[in-house]
Coordinates of all heavy atoms in Angstrom, one line a residue:
Chain H
Y295 N 4.6 14.0 -16.7 CA 5.4 13.2 -17.5 C 5.2 11.7 -17.1 O 5.9 11.4 -16.1 CB 6.8 13.6 -17.7 CG 6.9 15.0 -18.4 CD1 6.7 16.2 -17.7 CD2 7.1 15.0 -19.8 CE1 6.7 17.4 -18.3 CE2 7.2 16.2 -20.4 CZ 7.0 17.4 -19.7 OH 7.0 18.6 -20.3
N296 N 4.7 10.9 -17.9 CA 4.5 9.4 -17.5 C 3.8 8.8 -18.7 O 3.2 9.4 -19.6 CB 3.7 9.3 -16.2 CG 4.1 8.1 -15.5 OD1 4.7 7.1 -16.0 ND2 3.9 8.1 -14.1
N297 N 4.0 7.4 -18.7 CA 3.4 6.7 -19.8 C 2.0 6.1 -19.4 O 1.6 5.1 -20.0 CB 4.3 5.5 -20.2 CG 4.9 4.8 -19.0 OD1 4.3 4.9 -17.9 ND2 5.8 3.8 -19.3
C298 N 1.3 6.6 -18.3 CA 0.1 6.1 -18.0 C -1.0 5.9 -19.1 O -1.6 4.9 -19.1 CB -0.5 6.9 -16.9 SG 0.6 7.3 -15.5
P299 N -1.1 6.9 -19.9 CA -2.1 6.7 -21.0 C -1.9 5.6 -22.0 O -2.9 4.9 -22.5 CB -2.1 8.1 -21.8 CG -1.4 8.9 -21.0 CD -0.4 8.2 -20.1
T300 N -0.7 5.3 -22.2 CA -0.3 4.2 -23.2 C -0.2 2.8 -22.5 O -0.5 1.8 -23.1 CB 1.0 4.5 -24.0 OG1 1.9 5.0 -23.1 CG2 0.7 5.6 -25.0
E301 N 0.4 2.8 -21.3 CA 0.6 1.6 -20.6 C -0.4 1.2 -19.7 O -0.7 0.0 -19.4 CB 2.0 1.6 -19.9 CG 3.2 1.6 -20.9 CD 3.3 0.5 -21.8 OE1 2.8 -0.7 -21.4 OE2 3.6 0.7 -23.0
R302 N -1.2 2.2 -19.2 CA -2.1 2.0 -18.1 C -1.6 1.3 -17.0 O -0.4 1.1 -16.8 CB -3.4 1.2 -18.7 CG -4.0 2.1 -19.8 CD -5.3 1.4 -20.2 NE -6.1 2.1 -21.1 CZ -7.2 1.8 -21.7 NH1 -7.8 0.5 -21.3 NH2 -8.0 2.4 -22.7
F303 N -2.5 0.7 -16.1 CA -2.0 0.0 -14.9 C -2.8 -1.4 -14.8 O -3.7 -1.6 -15.5 CB -2.5 0.8 -13.6 CG -1.6 2.0 -13.4 CD1 -2.0 3.2 -14.1 CD2 -0.5 2.1 -12.5 CE1 -1.2 4.3 -13.8 CE2 0.3 3.2 -12.3 CZ -0.2 4.4 -13.0
N304 N -2.2 -2.2 -14.0 CA -2.8 -3.6 -13.8 C -3.1 -4.3 -15.1 O -4.3 -4.5 -15.4 CB -4.0 -3.4 -12.9 CG -3.7 -2.7 -11.6 OD1 -4.0 -1.5 -11.5 ND2 -3.2 -3.4 -10.7
H305 N -2.0 -4.6 -15.8 CA -2.3 -5.4 -17.0 C -3.1 -4.6 -18.0 O -4.1 -5.2 -18.6 CB -2.8 -6.8 -16.7 CG -2.5 -7.8 -17.7 ND1 -2.9 -9.1 -17.5 CD2 -1.8 -7.8 -18.9 CE1 -2.4 -9.9 -18.5 NE2 -1.7 -9.0 -19.3
H306 N -2.9 -3.4 -18.1 CA -3.6 -2.5 -19.0 C -5.1 -2.3 -18.7 O -5.9 -1.8 -19.7 CB -3.5 -3.0 -20.5 CG -2.1 -3.2 -21.0 ND1 -1.3 -2.2 -21.4 CD2 -1.3 -4.2 -21.0 CE1 -0.1 -2.6 -21.7 NE2 0.0 -3.8 -21.5
V307 N -5.5 -2.7 -17.6 CA -7.0 -2.6 -17.3 C -7.5 -1.2 -17.3 O -8.6 -0.9 -17.9 CB -7.4 -3.3 -16.0 CG1 -8.7 -3.0 -15.5 CG2 -7.2 -4.8 -16.2
S308 N -6.8 -0.3 -16.7 CA -7.3 1.1 -16.6 C -6.2 2.0 -16.2 O -5.0 1.7 -16.0 CB -8.4 1.1 -15.6 OG -9.2 2.4 -15.7
W309 N -6.6 3.3 -16.0 CA -5.7 4.3 -15.5 C -6.7 5.4 -14.9 O -7.9 5.4 -15.4 CB -4.6 4.8 -16.4 CG -5.1 5.5 -17.7 CD1 -5.9 5.1 -18.6 CD2 -4.8 6.9 -17.9 NE1 -6.2 6.1 -19.5 CE2 -5.5 7.2 -19.2 CE3 -4.0 7.8 -17.3 CZ2 -5.4 8.4 -19.8 CZ3 -3.9 9.1 -18.0 CH2 -4.6 9.4 -19.1
P310 N -6.2 6.3 -14.1 CA -7.1 7.2 -13.4 C -8.1 7.9 -14.4 O -9.2 8.1 -14.1 CB -6.2 8.1 -12.7 CG -5.1 7.3 -12.3 CD -4.9 6.4 -13.4
V311 N -7.5 8.4 -15.5 CA -8.3 9.3 -16.4 C -9.4 8.4 -17.0 O -10.6 8.9 -17.2 CB -7.5 10.0 -17.5 CG1 -8.3 10.5 -18.6 CG2 -6.6 11.0 -16.8
L312 N -9.2 7.2 -17.3 CA -10.2 6.3 -17.9 C -11.3 6.1 -16.8 O -12.5 6.0 -17.1 CB -9.6 4.9 -18.2 CG -10.6 3.8 -18.7 CD1 -11.4 4.3 -19.9 CD2 -9.8 2.6 -19.1
A313 N -10.8 6.1 -15.6 CA -11.8 6.0 -14.5 C -12.5 7.2 -14.1 O -13.1 7.4 -13.1 CB -11.1 5.3 -13.2
G314 N -12.3 8.3 -14.9 CA -13.0 9.5 -14.7 C -12.4 10.6 -13.8 O -13.1 11.6 -13.5

Side-chain angles (χ1 to χ4, degrees):
Chain H
Y295 292 81
N296 210 333
N297 52 4
C298 309
T300 46
E301 293 302 323
R302 298 187 175 179
F303 290 83
N304 304 99
H305 208 176
H306 303 279
V307 164
S308 192
W309 67 297
V311 168
L312 176 56

